[in-house]
Amino acid sequence: MHCSHFTARRCLSCTELATAYPDQLSAKQRHCAGLLSAWPRIDWLPPVASAESGFRNKAKMVVSGNARRPVLGILGADGKGVDLRDCGLYSASLQASFEAMADFIRDAGLTPYDVAQRRGELKFLLVTESPDGELMLRLVMRSEAQLPALRAGLPA
């Protein structure tokens, strides 16, 4: 899978991305065989390859930036937000939901937490997609200070 964030070194979370996928599968197979070498009678089936992109159904998005322009993704080495809304690992419907979440943060006036300054409220969005396509969103806040704004914005 090609990833512009990895190529630009903005996100290096996918540590094996530079390794061809068949080589990744072979390495995992060898690793498992080594771990279970004490049981030599194991019959190994060939590994089952998954999709190389769009397979992830859960996201933990750090919220940075500000209430008017939230950034959803990770914190870079410089402590600033790296927007990963277009990360190729997430399913299409999960990717599509990120813009609505950013709109919600903006409309509700939720203040992203600033790690360096230890200010702000909204730290993370935890999003999980069920097999039938429904999404569960959890917001990780520093305190209950913006809970009224969050609740007021939910109907929209």
Side-chain angles (χ1 to χ4, degrees):
M1 179 182 97
H2 172 75
C3 175
S4 61
H5 300 291
F6 186 83
T7 303
R9 305 190 62 77
R10 288 186 298 269
C11 176
L12 301 175
S13 298
C14 299
T15 57
E16 298 296 318
L17 200 56
T19 304
Y21 190 56
D23 295 340
Q24 291 179 37
L25 289 176
S26 295
K28 289 175 186 179
Q29 183 84 358
R30 283 191 306 276
H31 180 69
C32 288
L35 291 173
L36 298 173
S37 62
W39 296 274
R41 293 187 177 192
I42 293 176
D43 290 328
W44 289 97
L45 299 175
V48 176
S50 67
E52 290 186 49
S53 63
F55 61 86
R56 193 166 281 171
N57 70 335
K58 184 166 54 171
K60 178 181 180 182
M61 305 295 274
V62 172
V63 182
S64 57
N66 58 53
R68 288 188 192 137
R69 298 185 72 195
V71 176
L72 309 180
I74 61 171
L75 291 180
D78 60 359
K80 296 191 191 284
V82 177
D83 197 307
L84 294 180
R85 288 184 245 189
D86 63 343
C87 174
L89 297 182
Y90 300 123
S91 68
S93 58
L94 202 57
Q95 276 189 16
S97 74
F98 295 144
E99 194 57 40
M101 291 175 204
D103 290 344
F104 173 72
I105 293 166
R106 192 173 18 262
D107 294 345
L110 300 177
T111 309
Y113 183 70
D114 184 315
V115 175
Q117 296 185 10
R118 298 181 185 231
R119 280 193 258 157
E121 291 295 324
L122 180 58
K123 291 184 169 189
F124 304 102
L125 299 178
L126 302 170
V127 192
T128 306
E129 182 180 8
S130 70
D132 62 354
E134 292 183 329
L135 297 178
M136 176 177 65
L137 170 63
R138 294 171 287 164
L139 292 92
V140 178
M141 308 287 284
R142 185 176 136 233
S143 74
E144 295 182 11
Q146 287 194 310
L147 210 47
L150 191 152
R151 286 187 175 134
L154 283 177

